[in-house]
Amino acid sequence: MESTWLVLLSLALGLGVGAGFVTLLHVAERHGRRASEVVNPAVPDGIDQVLDALETAGVVLDPSNNVIKTSPGALTLGLVWNQQLVHPELLELARRVRSSGEPISEDLVLSRGPFGDASMRFRVRLARLGTRYVLLLAEDRTEAFRLDEVRRDFVANISHELKTPIASVGLLAEALDQAADEPAQVRRFANRLTTESARLGRLTQEIIELSRLQAQDALAEPENLSVDDIVAAAIDQSRVVAEAEHITIVGGKKSGARVFGDEALLIVAVHNLVANAVNYSAEGSRVGVGVRLQKGIVEITVTDQGVGIQEADLDRVFERFFRVDQARSRHTGGTGLGLSIVKHVVQNHGGDIRVWSQPGSGSTFTIRLPEAAQPITEPRQTKSRSTESRSVAHATAGDTP
C-alpha cells in the first residue's frame, strides 16, 4: 500500500516539475520575443522607403532614443554615430515631443565634429510617429546661410570701399572744371584724377577676380606647373617697384617642385605677397622668396623686414578689405583685397597659407600646396627634346592634340 502511494506521489511531483518547466519556457520565450522587438523594432510601413529617398537627414527614434532607421544624409552630416544621436540638442527636442505630443520646428547651430570650432546650421522638425517612435527631419542650411553672410558683408564692404574713390573722382572733376584757365592746376588735378581712376580700376578688377575665385569651377582645367617659374614671374612683376624703393628681392635656389593648378592665379597669389612685402618694407631692406619641397608639400615663403603685424591683427589679415595700416595702404594704392585673393587661390588649389610676424622685425607668409605627381616617361621611344616636352605638357594638362 505504501509503495502505491509513493508511486502516485512521484508521478504528481513529476507532473508538477514538468508543468513548471513548460511554464518557465513559455515565459522565457515571451521575454525573448519582447527583447527582440526592442532590439529590432518594426518601423511603420512606408517609412523605410521614405527615408531611403530623402536627400536631407531623416532619423527614426525608439522610446529609448536608439536610432532604428536613418537616411544616408544623416550619416553624411554626422548626426548619427553608433545608432545614437550625436548632439544633445536633438535629444532634448525628442524628449519635448514625447512629453507634449506636438510637432516641433527649430533652427539649430550644431558642431560639425569633435574637433575645432566649425559648425553647421539646420532647420529641424520632429513629430511623433505612431505611439512609440519619433521622426526627426533635418535640413542643412549651412551653405545658404554662408552665402547670405558673404552677400551682406560684400555689399557693405564694397559700398564703403567704392565710396572714397568715386567721391574723389567727382571732386577732382569739379575742381578741374573750375581751374580750366590755369594750366598748372589742370595738370595737377588731371594727375590726381588719373591716380584715383587707376585705383578704382584696380579695385574693380580685384573684386571680379575674387568673385571668380569663390566660384566652384575656378580650376576647371588644372595644369602641371613649375613652381620655380611661377615664383620667377611673380618676382619680375615686382622688381621695378622694388628697385625704385631701393629694396632688394632675393630669390632662392631652384627646387624643381611642381603643382597642379592655374598658372595665372598662382602667379597673382605669389605676386600679391611679394608686392605687399615691398610696400611695407623700409628703403634699403630685403625681401626673400624661397621654395621648399618636403614630404609631398610645396612651400612658397615670402619674408620681409618691414613694419610687421600686431598679434591681434594676424587672424584678420586675410579678410576682405582689411588693412593693417590704413594710411600706408591708401598711400600705396592698396585695396585690402590682395591677401584675401591669395587665400582663395591657395584654398582652390587644395592648400593653405600661414603667417608669422613680429612688429618691427617683419613678416613671413608661407603658401603650402600639394606636390603634383611626376609625369610618366617612355624611355623606349626616341623623340627630340622639344617634342618630348610638348608631349609631357599635353599629357599632364589633359589636352588633346
Side-chain angles (χ1 to χ4, degrees):
M1 189 67 180
E2 292 180 358
S3 60
T4 302
W5 281 106
L6 288 174
V7 170
L8 292 175
L9 184 61
S10 299
L11 287 174
L13 183 61
L15 289 174
V17 172
F21 186 71
V22 171
T23 303
L24 185 62
L25 286 177
H26 279 292
V27 171
E29 181 184 1
R30 187 180 306 164
H31 280 290
R33 191 182 321 74
R34 288 178 180 175
S36 176
E37 289 176 356
V38 172
V39 175
N40 299 306
V43 179
D45 292 340
I47 296 300
D48 283 359
Q49 291 80 1
V50 171
L51 291 181
D52 289 338
L54 283 178
E55 292 184 359
T56 56
V59 177
V60 177
L61 302 172
D62 69 4
S64 300
N65 282 333
N66 295 311
V67 176
I68 61 174
K69 184 64 180 176
T70 181
S71 69
L75 299 174
T76 302
L77 294 171
L79 301 181
V80 176
W81 184 80
N82 197 23
Q83 293 187 313
Q84 296 290 327
L85 285 177
V86 174
H87 302 90
E89 297 93 336
L90 299 178
L91 294 174
E92 173 60 21
L93 291 179
R95 186 196 65 77
R96 289 168 51 187
V97 168
R98 289 194 186 94
S99 176
S100 65
E102 298 295 328
I104 292 178
S105 296
E106 284 196 13
D107 294 318
L108 294 179
V109 180
L110 303 177
S111 60
R112 186 177 293 273
F115 309 108
D117 299 326
S119 60
M120 297 180 294
R121 294 180 176 270
F122 289 95
R123 177 68 175 176
V124 298
R125 182 171 177 81
L126 294 89
R128 294 183 68 91
L129 190 63
T131 59
R132 299 185 59 200
Y133 307 108
V134 171
L135 174 65
L136 182 152
L137 299 176
E139 180 186 359
D140 183 12
R141 294 187 174 182
T142 307
E143 185 65 16
F145 187 85
R146 187 190 69 83
L147 291 177
D148 190 51
E149 276 191 329
V150 168
R151 178 186 59 80
R152 289 198 308 268
D153 291 345
F154 186 79
V155 171
N157 288 331
I158 198 60
S159 61
H160 175 74
E161 292 298 323
L162 287 175
K163 180 173 64 178
T164 300
I166 289 176
S168 298
V169 168
L171 291 174
L172 288 170
E174 183 179 348
L176 194 63
D177 180 62
Q178 294 177 357
D181 297 331
E182 303 178 32
Q185 291 295 330
V186 167
R187 284 194 297 271
R188 176 170 170 265
F189 289 137
N191 289 335
R192 291 182 58 186
L193 189 61
T194 301
T195 301
E196 289 297 329
S197 63
R199 180 167 175 264
L200 186 59
R202 285 196 302 272
L203 179 58
T204 305
Q205 182 59 40
E206 290 190 353
I207 291 170
I208 295 172
E209 193 69 32
L210 187 59
S211 300
R212 185 169 79 90
L213 290 172
Q214 291 177 320
Q216 293 183 354
D217 59 349
L219 292 179
E221 297 180 1
E223 298 178 310
N224 191 314
L225 306 171
S226 167
V227 177
D228 296 327
D229 293 344
I230 292 170
V231 170
I235 291 176
D236 285 342
Q237 292 181 7
S238 301
R239 198 174 296 280
V240 174
V241 176
E243 290 177 352
E245 299 293 333
H246 304 287
I247 295 172
T248 304
I249 302 179
V250 180
K253 63 180 181 180
K254 300 291 185 180
S255 66
R258 304 189 71 86
V259 296
F260 280 112
D262 185 303
E263 184 176 26
L265 291 180
L266 288 174
I267 291 176
V268 167
V270 179
H271 166 66
N272 284 355
L273 292 183
V274 176
N276 263 14
V278 171
N279 289 337
Y280 286 91
S281 293
E283 185 175 346
S285 60
R286 292 158 60 94
V287 171
V289 185
V291 180
R292 183 174 67 167
L293 177 60
Q294 186 176 13
K295 296 181 179 180
I297 299 176
V298 179
E299 294 186 350
I300 306 172
T301 303
V302 179
T303 303
D304 64 57
Q305 300 171 331
V307 296
I309 304 171
Q310 297 291 336
E311 185 176 357
D313 295 331
L314 287 177
D315 294 335
R316 300 191 59 197
V317 293
F318 298 106
E319 293 180 9
R320 292 186 301 274
F321 302 111
F322 179 77
R323 298 183 180 93
V324 174
D325 186 340
Q326 296 280 349
R328 184 175 179 87
S329 295
R330 295 192 183 278
H331 175 71
T332 57
T335 62
L337 289 174
L339 291 180
S340 181
I341 289 176
V342 174
K343 177 183 176 181
H344 281 87
V345 168
V346 173
Q347 288 180 340
N348 285 344
H349 284 77
D352 64 4
I353 181 167
R354 303 177 178 182
V355 57
W356 173 92
S357 184
Q358 184 173 354
S361 299
S363 305
T364 298
F365 288 83
T366 303
I367 293 175
R368 290 159 37 97
L369 299 171
E371 180 189 14
Q374 295 297 325
I376 300 175
T377 58
E378 301 178 10
R380 293 187 178 182
Q381 296 182 358
T382 58
K383 299 180 181 180
S384 67
R385 184 177 299 273
S386 61
T387 304
E388 184 176 358
S389 299
R390 287 195 298 271
S391 299
V392 172
H394 281 298
T396 55
D399 295 337
T400 54

